[in-house]
């Protein structure tokens, strides 16, 4: 007898729940029992909500340049430490770097640690992929089945990632607005479809909201308890909240906070509440922002008012309930502003303010899987798959088109 006894199961579980995703990905190879445990939905949920899995800032920074007739985009995703020391530029950990791509458009999320990335495909069409930075999994989504009349002009679109609580299915909803004549806004047509990760397919929907309203992209993922939210504005200039229920796959509407029609507004999350940041952004030293939270459907309460003592700027998100993140126009910096101390902390990013190429997210690591069923993917190949999803621009300036239709089959 060697005197060694296995640890009780509850102690093993408690230890594993405290570990980062990178360690757990390695420990799946220890034994079949640990493999099954770490991949189980109950463990994934407990790990995501564990107190050791703290929220951090994840920043996407895109810059653009022209080489002859080719537009070259450089995109870097970095995560910052859990604790940001006031006045000290934090160290950045690069999660993904796309140094020379031609078709990166934007990124949205996170929901359970997952992001949706968008690329231009051909003409005015677009394609999406789902990415888990922690597990380094990536999945390109099949083309959406929109049947658009030739005479329509693409005007606007919004998309959102969410989770169907009943079927345990991650879904992407995509809304597109078309005009009869470019720039005229005549007889707008609204189309929508939803993607199911379980089925790896899209289906068309019938949007139940006026076609003459504008949907605004949120500052962060505004998914909450099975529902995704957008801020909208109609011809009456009144802010309303449009929603999409991931389970019933129905659109809805409710009232936003009572704010002046001339004020700027954007949705985000504050803890476990839907929040709206409003104000008159950009004015040096004099901009005033209000933060509202939704206490129950259609009922809003103002919880914070901030007047940042900073130069001309643009708000990017909120952090730890009351701190704010701003782009500084004059210096192209991304800064964190603490209203209780008026402390401004440079986060160490040089931004390209000529484009809308900065995204700041409240991010927590997640084991949430992207691949389903018998699909497999080596972690060390995920970055390569993301790189292949986008069109890489070689040094000579000619883009390389890389489309792998094998990713669209189950």
């Amino acid at each position: 007898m060697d005197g060694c006894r296995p640890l009780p199961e509850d102690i093993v579980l408690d230890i594993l729940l405290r570990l980062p995703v990178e360690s757990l990905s390695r420990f799946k190879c220890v034994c079949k029992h640990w493999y099954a445990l770490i991949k189980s939905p109950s463990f994934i949920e407990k790990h995501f909500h564990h107190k050791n899995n703290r929220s951090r800032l994840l920043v996407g920074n895109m810059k653009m340049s022209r080489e002859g007739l080719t537009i070259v985009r450089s995109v870097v995703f970095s995560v910052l430490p859990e604790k940001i020391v006031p006045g000290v530029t934090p160290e950045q950990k690069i999660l993904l770097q796309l140094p020379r791509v031609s078709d990166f458009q934007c990124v949205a999320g996170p929901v359970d640690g997952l992001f949706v990335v968008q690329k231009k495909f051909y003409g005015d069409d677009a394609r999406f992929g789902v990415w888990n930075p922690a597990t380094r999994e990536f999945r390109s989504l099949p083309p959406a089945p929109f049947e658009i009349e030739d005479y329509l002009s693409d005007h606007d679109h919004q998309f959102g990632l969410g989770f169907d609580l009943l079927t345990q299915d991650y879904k992407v909803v995509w809304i597109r607005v078309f005009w009869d004549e470019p720039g005229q806004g005549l007889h707008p047509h609204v189309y929508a479809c939803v993607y199911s990760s379980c089925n790896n397919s899209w289906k068309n929907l019938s949007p139940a909201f006026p076609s003459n309203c504008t949907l605004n992209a949120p500052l962060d993922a505004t998914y909450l308890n099975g529902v995704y939210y957008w801020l909208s504005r109609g011809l009456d200039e009144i802010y309303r909240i449009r929603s999409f229920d991931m389970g019933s796959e129905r659109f809805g509407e409710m009232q936003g906070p009572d704010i002046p029609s001339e004020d700027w507004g954007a949705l985000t999350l504050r803890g476990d509440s839907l929040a709206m940041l409003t104000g008159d952004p950009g004015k040096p030293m004099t901009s005033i922002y209000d933060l509202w939270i939704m206490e129950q459907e259609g009922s809003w309460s103002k919880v914070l008012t901030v007047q940042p003592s900073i130069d001309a700027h643009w708000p990017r998100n909120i952090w730890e309930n009351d701190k704010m993140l701003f782009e500084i126009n004059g210096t192209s910096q991304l800064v964190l502003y603490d209203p209780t101390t008026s402390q401004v902390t440079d986060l160490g990013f040089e931004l390209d303010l000529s484009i809308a190429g900065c995204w700041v997210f409240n991010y927590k690591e997640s084991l949430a899987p992207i691949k389903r069923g018998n699909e497999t993917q080596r972690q060390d190949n995920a970055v390569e798959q993301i790189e292949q999803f986008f069109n890489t621009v070689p040094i000579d300036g000619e883009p390389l088109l890389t489309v792998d239709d094998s990713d669209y089959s189950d």
Side-chain angles (χ1 to χ4, degrees), residues 143-203:
F146 287 115
E147 296 181 0
I148 311 298
E149 291 85 350
D150 292 338
Y151 61 86
L152 294 180
S153 173
D154 199 349
H155 170 59
D156 192 15
H157 77 159
Q158 292 294 334
F159 59 94
L161 172 66
F163 187 63
D164 185 333
L165 300 172
L166 181 62
T167 62
Q168 303 289 290
D169 186 11
Y170 287 101
K171 296 181 177 181
V172 177
V173 58
W174 188 12
I175 305 166
R176 302 181 72 181
V177 179
F178 292 84
W179 287 351
D180 280 0
E181 296 182 18
Q184 300 302 312
L186 302 177
H187 306 292
H189 301 260
V190 181
Y191 297 79
C193 61
V194 62
Y195 168 83
S196 162
S197 64
C198 287
N199 300 328
N200 193 29
S201 63
W202 296 84
K203 73 175 181 180

Side-chain angles (χ1 to χ4, degrees), residues 47-58 79-84 110 113 115 220 269-271 317-321 325 360-366:
H47 179 268
F48 183 75
H49 294 290
H50 196 277
K51 62 181 181 181
N52 279 25
N53 189 21
R54 299 180 181 90
S55 181
R56 294 187 284 175
L57 287 175
L58 188 150
V79 68
L80 302 184
E82 297 173 5
K83 177 66 175 177
I84 297 177
F115 292 87
D220 215 330
L269 293 182
R270 184 178 187 262
N317 213 332
I318 60 173
W319 170 247
E320 293 182 339
N321 294 330
L325 294 125
V360 185
F361 303 104
N362 290 270
Y363 168 71
K364 290 173 64 175
E365 285 191 342
S366 172

Side-chain angles (χ1 to χ4, degrees), residues 233-298:
R233 214 170 180 183
L235 297 178
D236 56 8
E237 296 295 316
I238 296 176
Y239 281 114
R240 294 181 176 85
I241 311 299
R242 306 288 175 179
S243 63
F244 179 77
D245 189 302
M246 294 289 168
S248 65
E249 298 183 349
R250 294 178 180 270
F251 292 94
E253 177 189 336
M254 61 185 177
Q255 291 299 315
D258 185 15
I259 62 173
S261 60
E262 64 270 16
D263 276 14
W264 168 88
L267 290 184
T268 187
L269 293 182
R270 184 178 187 262
D272 294 326
S273 298
L274 184 65
M276 182 172 173
L277 186 65
T278 68
D280 54 346
K283 299 177 182 178
M285 305 297 175
T286 62
S287 287
I288 299 176
Y289 299 94
D290 293 324
L291 183 63
W292 302 74
I293 63 168
M294 188 175 70
E295 297 178 328
Q296 57 185 10
E297 185 171 320

Side-chain angles (χ1 to χ4, degrees), residues 315-379:
R316 274 298 158 198
N317 213 332
I318 60 173
W319 170 247
E320 293 182 339
N321 294 330
D322 60 355
K323 299 179 180 66
M324 295 183 65
L325 294 125
F326 295 103
E327 294 178 353
I328 304 299
N329 296 348
T331 59
S332 301
Q333 293 172 288
L334 180 67
V335 302
L336 179 65
Y337 179 78
D338 187 341
T340 60
T341 63
S342 297
Q343 176 75 58
V344 178
T345 301
D346 179 15
L347 298 182
F349 294 90
E350 182 183 348
L351 308 178
D352 184 350
L353 300 185
S354 66
I355 58 173
C358 177
W359 301 270
V360 185
F361 303 104
N362 290 270
Y363 168 71
K364 290 173 64 175
E365 285 191 342
S366 172
L367 289 159
I370 295 175
K371 299 292 182 178
R372 294 298 177 97
N374 59 0
E375 295 177 304
T376 60
Q377 180 186 55
R378 298 196 327 270
Q379 288 183 2

Side-chain angles (χ1 to χ4, degrees), residues 55-72:
S55 181
R56 294 187 284 175
L57 287 175
L58 188 150
V59 179
N61 187 15
M62 179 170 70
K63 298 179 181 180
M64 193 164 64
S65 62
R66 181 180 293 275
E67 297 181 4
L69 299 178
T70 303
I71 298 296
V72 181

Side-chain angles (χ1 to χ4, degrees), residues 2 17 27 42 46 74 85 89 96 110 147 164 185 229 256 258 273 280 289 296 312 316 321 385 394 407:
D2 58 9
L17 286 173
F27 290 169
S42 61
K46 289 177 181 177
S74 168
V85 180
T89 300
L96 177 66
E147 296 181 0
D164 185 333
Y229 300 92
D258 185 15
S273 298
D280 54 346
Y289 299 94
Q296 57 185 10
R316 274 298 158 198
N321 294 330
Q385 291 200 19
D407 287 339

